[in-house]
Amino acid sequence: MKTGLRITAFAAALAATFGTAYGVGSGVGEISPEPKSAAHGEHADAARPEKSGGLEQGHEQGETAAPPGGLQISDGGYTLDVKTVRLQAGKRADLRFAIVRNTTGRQLTRYDREHDKELHLIVASRDLTEYRHLHPTRAADGTWSTPVDLPKAGGYRVFADFKPKGGEALTLGADLAVAGAYEPKELPAHNTTAEADGYEVRLGGDLTPGTPGELTFTVTRNGKPVRDLQPYLGAYGHLVALRSGDLAYLHVHPNGEPGDGKTRPGPGVAFTATAPSPGAYRLFLDFKHQGKVHTAAFTVPAQGAPGTAASATESEHSH
Ligand SMILES: [Cu+2]
């Protein structure tokens, strides 16, 4: 997708809505913070004419700045109720939770599927050295559960990424404690190549605060490009970016999809990403090859201090 020129043209306008999501072109594969409600509370289900297309099309320009997803346990009229708030390090156990509608106190049972699933669950350690992307099963009463085994003790964050039926996509986040001897780790150093189960993944491109940029992951094995990646969740890769320091959640998807006539099954998988702020981000790429899903992790700095770029200075005046 050659959206670069359009993106450049929009740069000044985008800067004014620093931290919000942007709609560009068809919207396929764009990356931005999770769509958020401009207004919070009871009207989460009310149709918003400017937000009709779900996760991908839900990113529109011209909205007021909203925080990235995952920072709140309750948003858009829904609350993440984690029923298992404590686990034991190294012990496999069920993680149970539900999405509760604030107005009724009832557990949500009707969802719109996104990327093949009603709900995506991400579990990450606060130090960003542990990551799980899970697809729990839902009981008829709306209680979700999935087995999880977290080898390291410490503070974790649980993210539920879902779309209530007819509503707006949301990512809610809640804390999870894993008991055991806790050894906080430093954020892994900036890297542009990562090893994952014998695969090497190379990252090209940059994260620039407030500006969409293309990130390309190239998958090789034994020095040979992998050209037969398999679709996973409707794409050739699934990328989650978490901001170091507060674990703000950016759910991102590739440019193009399998079967669109132009997207190849590797070795490159491209995304368009917008960092909501300067800082360090941890990127987790899931890809599927020969029937197995692998995860490659990267630490990526988003460069540029606030106020140094002309565009960032402009945003000061827009308040
Ligand atoms: Cu998922």
Side-chain angles (χ1 to χ4, degrees):
M1 279 172 71
K2 281 283 167 202
T3 52
L5 289 173
R6 274 193 79 180
I7 286 165
T8 306
F10 281 133
L14 296 178
T17 54
F18 198 69
T20 43
Y22 318 119
V24 176
S26 69
V28 172
E30 73 192 75
I31 292 173
S32 50
E34 286 298 276
K36 307 289 295 184
S37 323
H40 294 228
E42 60 196 332
H43 300 303
D45 277 336
R48 286 196 177 83
E50 78 276 21
K51 284 201 161 199
S52 54
L55 188 66
E56 256 72 30
Q57 277 81 28
H59 309 156
E60 310 293 338
Q61 57 260 65
E63 276 183 69
T64 53
L71 296 174
Q72 301 186 91
I73 199 168
S74 185
D75 190 18
Y78 295 89
T79 298
L80 171 56
D81 175 18
V82 179
K83 298 166 193 289
T84 312
V85 294
R86 230 169 287 112
L87 293 171
Q88 190 75 37
K91 253 196 188 161
R92 191 175 171 88
D94 268 348
L95 177 58
R96 294 172 70 249
F97 63 97
I99 307 298
V100 176
R101 188 192 292 259
N102 293 352
T103 48
T104 60
R106 291 230 177 103
Q107 297 192 165
L108 183 66
T109 55
R110 295 170 74 228
Y111 294 80
D112 283 334
R113 279 177 175 259
E114 289 188 300
H115 312 293
D116 296 349
K117 303 285 177 185
E118 286 189 341
L119 184 143
H120 303 263
L121 187 76
I122 303 295
V123 180
S125 62
R126 279 274 176 199
D127 62 10
L128 294 172
T129 60
E130 285 293 324
Y131 175 84
R132 298 285 187 280
H133 179 171
L134 304 165
H135 296 117
T137 42
R138 179 172 58 78
D141 74 348
T143 303
W144 293 91
S145 65
T146 177
V148 62
D149 187 348
L150 300 167
K152 288 192 226 159
Y156 282 71
R157 193 78 174 160
V158 174
F159 302 94
D161 181 338
F162 65 97
K163 187 167 176 288
K165 193 165 187 65
E168 209 177 291
L170 283 172
T171 303
L172 303 179
D175 288 339
L176 172 72
V178 178
Y182 175 42
E183 272 189 61
K185 294 274 195 308
E186 300 260 321
L187 181 70
H190 178 203
N191 60 315
T192 53
T193 59
E195 197 275 336
D197 309 322
Y199 295 82
E200 190 182 75
V201 183
R202 199 176 67 246
L203 166 62
D206 294 308
L207 268 184
T208 307
T211 306
E214 189 168 79
L215 299 173
T216 302
F217 297 87
T218 306
V219 183
T220 58
R221 188 163 61 167
N222 302 323
K224 291 197 184 105
V226 174
R227 300 183 189 280
D228 57 345
L229 290 175
Q230 294 169 299
Y232 176 59
L233 303 174
Y236 288 123
H238 187 276
L239 184 65
V240 167
L242 298 174
R243 181 167 61 187
S244 178
D246 66 359
L247 274 59
Y249 177 96
L250 287 71
H251 197 163
V252 289
H253 289 273
N255 297 342
E257 55 186 48
D260 66 4
K262 55 187 176 183
T263 304
R264 300 209 184 109
V269 186
F271 300 80
T272 302
T274 305
S277 71
Y281 292 78
R282 190 84 170 141
L283 272 47
F284 298 94
L285 174 76
D286 296 327
F287 62 94
K288 189 173 180 183
H289 189 235
Q290 295 178 347
K292 279 194 175 158
V293 177
H294 309 280
T295 304
F298 300 84
T299 299
V300 179
Q303 308 287 7
T308 55
S311 54
T313 307
E314 280 297 308
S315 70
E316 299 296 316
H317 301 293
S318 68
H319 289 292

